[in-house]
Amino acid sequence: MCGIVGYVGRRQAAPILLEGLKKLEYRGYDSAGIAVIEKHSFEVMKRAGSVEGLSAAKNFLGRTGIGHTRWATHGTPTEENAHPHIYGRIALVHNGIIENMKPLKEECLKRGESFTSETDTEIVAHLLDGYYEGDLLAALQKTAARLVGSFALAALSLEEPGKIALARRASPLVVGRGEDGTYLASDIPAIAAEGMEIYALGENEFALLDGKSAHFYAEDGREIEKKPLEYSLEEDVPEKKGFRHFMRKEMSEIPLSIANTQQIIQSYPKIFELREVLCHAEYIHIVACGTAYHSGLCAKIAIEARARIPVEVAVASEYRYRDPVIQRNTVVIAVSQSGETADTLAAAELAKRSGATLLAVTNVRYSSLARLADFVLFTAAGREIAVAATKSFNAQLVLLYALAEELASAKGRGACGAELLSLPLLAKDALAASEEVRAWTPHFLGAKSVFFLGRGADHCAALEGSLKLKEISYLPSEGYPAGELKHGTLALIEKGTPVVAILTSSRLAEKTMNAVHETYARGAKVFLVTSLPEYRKRGEILSSVLIPDIGETYSPVLSVIPLQALAYYVAVARGNDPDKPRNLAKSVTVE
Ligand code: F6R
């Protein structure tokens, strides 16, 4: 994973690199480092922990430099393993994973070279220095040809102080040409500035940057022309606006994020072409990871119920290595908040290669996924900083539900979904009601395990509630289909085990209550999130939250809100930082 940044030009590089790295911390924050070239030597600072630890490096002198913020793949998150890796005349930063590191390392060891880190990247620095004969780009081309895996690489050489060489395979990399110099980064917002031209490196492409220009090369070494990307500067500077954490602030923005996203489909410029494709859609595959995968599960229920089109929902990391049956008239929907998740991108590429129409649902306008897809629907959730997805999940649901309605009308199944229009207001009510879960917190703090139970759409919400709790509170938890518990997992319920039941379907409520009885009978403490007031008074329920009723199909967009709040309050009570949970990053750019 990780984020990389670089600059060569008229200004001092270090402050630019530090600024860029702060914006890239969503890609990893377990260690960081920068290297600048000053008078034919490298000034280097690396630290375990976040980019803040590098603040003293802002005084480094030097107009060429590279930086890195890390999410550890090979090697623990220590200073030694932090990038840039320096070897001989070379400094190198890397986003990705080198899969053939073992034989390459053996080759270096045979030459008598020794290593100071456990990383795959240090091996690449050794290879690069070995191939270097006064031409950084040529050496990087030879090095890249030896690598198996994914990489965005940016390299400096002490012998060519005003240059940065780049290589890219399966990890994103953009180049910016500004007034004062040339920039590189893992994504556009890290470097974008007024008047800057931004270019995306394609698969297996290379670039050579100097202070005035950027030259791009294909895999075979041919120089290629590139068109600048269309982009606009982000207006919103992320601030906590009085909230203690970004996660809580982002939850407060759920109603707005829903309202803004509701406008998206109707004002989509390619709506007529999209309707044409939807009209002929016979199969739908949804590919995504994590929370976005849960949106896919919710969407399956809505699309199948409303449009009667079969939907397969797949975890992208599985789909990409299967041989999925992609038939004529299959629409593949790739859902990704960041639009940079490596597995989702690979699954989307596979779908495209196999002839499917690719529809992206993403929150990031200039993301790799948005550039890849035939159609792109943006969730208007605004920037999400907290690692745990909240408002972007609600926005994904609203967009996918609107799509379900489009599909239903394309298939002649009549317009419905009027209840969706009132969602922003209902989400406000759900948010207000969610404050009640704060009182549940003491029951969860020392729990050995926590269960979230539901059926149908409530089960999808249960999965998401459980994921939220795991990732920020670090409590073991499972989201489970209520009817499945008795087939083994019930053995885990003991006295005091917290169970959260989600109940929004009057059709299925009594069935879910069977599972509630079963857990209660074995000593569980049962909490309830429901839109059905009559169930609040049941004797088994220790405490409950009442959310507005929008019918079972679309209910997760509201029922998830108290679950997000529960995860937040439990995490804070356990002393965790919900914005930056351990071991995680906002965007998972390696497989
Ligand atoms: C959990 C969470 C992750 C992401 C997953 C996919 O709160 O945020 O599970 O949903 O890593 O990320 P995107 O949506 O950016 O593809």
Side-chain angles (χ1 to χ4, degrees):
M1 242 140 60
C2 317
I4 68 173
V5 68
Y7 172 77
V8 48
R10 294 201 300 267
R11 291 164 62 195
Q12 295 301 333
I16 296 171
L17 301 177
L18 294 176
E19 201 48 44
L21 286 181
K22 272 187 214 142
K23 293 184 183 152
L24 288 170
E25 273 199 311
Y26 73 91
R27 305 172 77 90
Y29 42 78
D30 62 32
S31 54
I34 66 166
V36 300
I37 301 185
E38 161 66 351
K39 293 194 183 134
H40 297 283
S41 67
F42 290 122
E43 288 261 44
V44 184
M45 181 177 282
K46 307 201 233 184
R47 292 287 179 266
S50 75
V51 175
E52 265 171 36
L54 298 177
S55 55
K58 69 176 182 298
N59 300 322
F60 280 5
L61 295 177
R63 296 171 200 278
T64 307
I66 51 178
H68 188 271
T69 180
R70 180 164 186 253
W71 182 84
T73 54
H74 290 98
T76 48
T78 58
E79 198 167 309
E80 293 72 37
N81 288 333
H83 302 209
H85 287 283
I86 315 289
Y87 185 72
R89 299 151 289 180
I90 299 298
L92 183 74
V93 289
H94 169 213
N95 166 210
I97 296 182
I98 305 304
E99 290 167 7
N100 58 337
M101 67 178 269
K102 207 161 168 264
L104 295 176
K105 189 166 185 176
E106 277 160 12
E107 185 181 311
C108 299
L109 289 170
K110 270 192 203 140
R111 286 201 298 259
E113 297 169 7
S114 57
F115 291 84
T116 55
S117 79
E118 305 156 282
T119 65
D120 49 351
T121 310
E122 192 185 3
I123 300 162
V124 184
H126 279 238
L127 285 185
L128 191 51
D129 189 63
Y131 284 121
Y132 187 74
E133 292 173 339
D135 183 339
L136 186 58
L137 178 68
L140 190 60
Q141 284 163 332
K142 285 182 190 151
T143 304
R146 304 283 319 277
L147 304 178
V148 177
S150 60
F151 50 81
L153 295 167
L156 306 179
S157 162
L158 287 177
E159 293 183 13
E160 295 171 83
K163 289 186 181 161
I164 308 177
L166 310 181
R168 180 204 167 215
R169 185 186 301 158
S171 292
L173 192 52
V174 296
V175 167
R177 249 185 349 209
E179 280 277 286
D180 57 356
T182 311
Y183 298 69
L184 71 100
S186 298
D187 77 7
I188 296 175
I191 50 172
E194 205 56 56
M196 184 182 283
E197 284 190 340
I198 298 212
Y199 304 84
L201 254 75
E203 193 62 1
N204 292 314
E205 287 180 356
F206 296 83
L208 187 65
L209 318 184
D210 60 32
K212 297 207 173 85
S213 60
H215 297 274
F216 300 98
Y217 302 88
E219 192 174 10
D220 60 11
R222 242 175 337 111
E223 184 161 357
I224 46 178
E225 283 294 316
K226 276 196 179 284
K227 276 202 194 133
L229 298 175
E230 282 179 25
Y231 76 99
S232 55
L233 292 175
E234 286 202 11
E235 318 84 50
D236 64 324
V237 181
E239 282 170 26
K240 289 188 187 145
K241 295 196 175 143
F243 288 91
R244 193 168 153 206
H245 297 103
F246 278 112
M247 182 177 171
R248 196 66 193 85
K249 178 216 156 204
E250 286 160 7
M251 286 187 62
S252 78
E253 292 167 348
I254 288 172
L256 184 66
S257 135
I258 290 176
N260 289 344
T261 301
Q262 283 179 327
Q263 317 290 328
I264 293 291
I265 287 207
Q266 298 317 322
S267 56
Y268 180 49
K270 284 165 75 176
I271 186 68
F272 293 111
E273 286 153 86
L274 178 61
R275 278 191 183 135
E276 185 63 24
V277 168
L278 297 181
C279 197
H280 295 103
E282 286 172 31
Y283 310 94
I284 292 178
H285 294 182
I286 302 180
V287 292
C289 304
T291 288
Y293 168 72
H294 296 155
S295 315
L297 294 175
C298 297
K300 172 185 165 76
I301 288 180
I303 294 170
E304 290 186 342
R306 292 286 301 119
R308 306 303 295 159
I309 302 174
V311 181
E312 183 198 332
V313 190
V315 167
S317 55
E318 291 294 319
Y319 189 86
R320 66 180 288 189
Y321 291 116
R322 269 190 4 215
D323 188 8
V325 181
I326 299 178
Q327 321 223 32
R328 259 188 76 230
N329 294 336
T330 299
V331 173
V332 175
I333 308 176
V335 186
S336 171
Q337 186 282 129
S338 64
E340 299 293 349
T341 300
D343 286 319
T344 307
L345 284 171
E349 274 159 10
L350 167 67
K352 246 191 123 167
R353 274 201 309 279
S354 311
T357 301
L358 178 63
L359 166 61
V361 171
T362 179
N363 200 35
V364 181
R365 205 157 276 274
Y366 306 104
S367 57
S368 304
L369 183 62
R371 296 201 295 270
L372 180 70
D374 301 304
F375 297 93
V376 188
L377 291 171
F378 292 105
T379 47
R383 189 110 159 252
E384 196 173 60
I385 302 294
V387 165
T390 54
K391 61 175 179 171
S392 66
F393 176 71
N394 303 74
Q396 281 166 0
L397 292 186
V398 165
L399 197 97
L400 291 165
Y401 292 162
L403 200 68
E405 291 302 324
E406 281 293 331
L407 277 158
S409 94
K411 297 284 172 191
R413 295 185 53 82
C416 185
E419 66 272 31
L420 293 178
L421 296 177
S422 53
L423 267 180
L425 283 177
L426 300 183
K428 246 186 190 165
D429 294 344
L431 260 176
S434 296
E435 280 309 296
E436 289 175 43
V437 303
R438 200 173 187 158
W440 300 1
T441 310
H443 300 284
F444 287 73
L445 293 185
K448 272 204 324 222
S449 55
V450 177
F451 290 88
F452 291 82
L453 303 181
R455 284 174 187 259
D458 290 338
H459 170 232
C460 304
L463 290 172
E464 178 57 10
S466 169
L467 178 63
K468 279 305 82 108
L469 188 76
K470 275 185 276 206
E471 71 174 318
I472 60 172
S473 79
Y474 317 147
L475 289 173
S477 162
E478 282 199 63
Y480 229 72
E484 183 66 10
L485 201 64
K486 55 189 176 290
H487 297 289
T489 305
L490 194 61
L492 295 175
I493 303 288
E494 49 189 53
K495 197 164 180 292
T497 303
V499 169
V500 181
I502 299 116
L503 216 65
T504 66
S505 159
S506 40
R507 188 174 63 93
L508 298 171
E510 281 306 329
K511 303 284 176 200
T512 300
M513 284 308 286
N514 287 343
V516 165
H517 299 310
E518 289 154 14
T519 60
Y520 179 74
R522 287 155 181 91
K525 289 179 181 168
V526 186
F527 301 87
L528 185 68
V529 170
T530 187
S531 55
L532 311 170
E534 60 276 26
Y535 286 90
R536 301 185 78 185
K537 297 199 181 73
R538 292 287 181 98
E540 306 89 330
I541 308 299
L542 189 58
S543 180
S544 65
V545 169
L546 185 67
I547 55 164
D549 185 7
I550 45 158
E552 64 177 89
T553 308
Y554 297 133
S555 61
V557 69
L558 298 181
S559 62
V560 79
I561 295 174
L563 306 181
Q564 294 165 335
L566 177 65
Y568 173 80
Y569 286 122
V570 174
V572 172
R574 283 170 57 89
N576 302 345
D577 178 355
D579 290 345
K580 284 189 176 172
R582 69 186 183 199
N583 307 341
L584 300 178
K586 183 73 183 156
S587 174
V588 185
T589 60
V590 290
E591 61 169 305

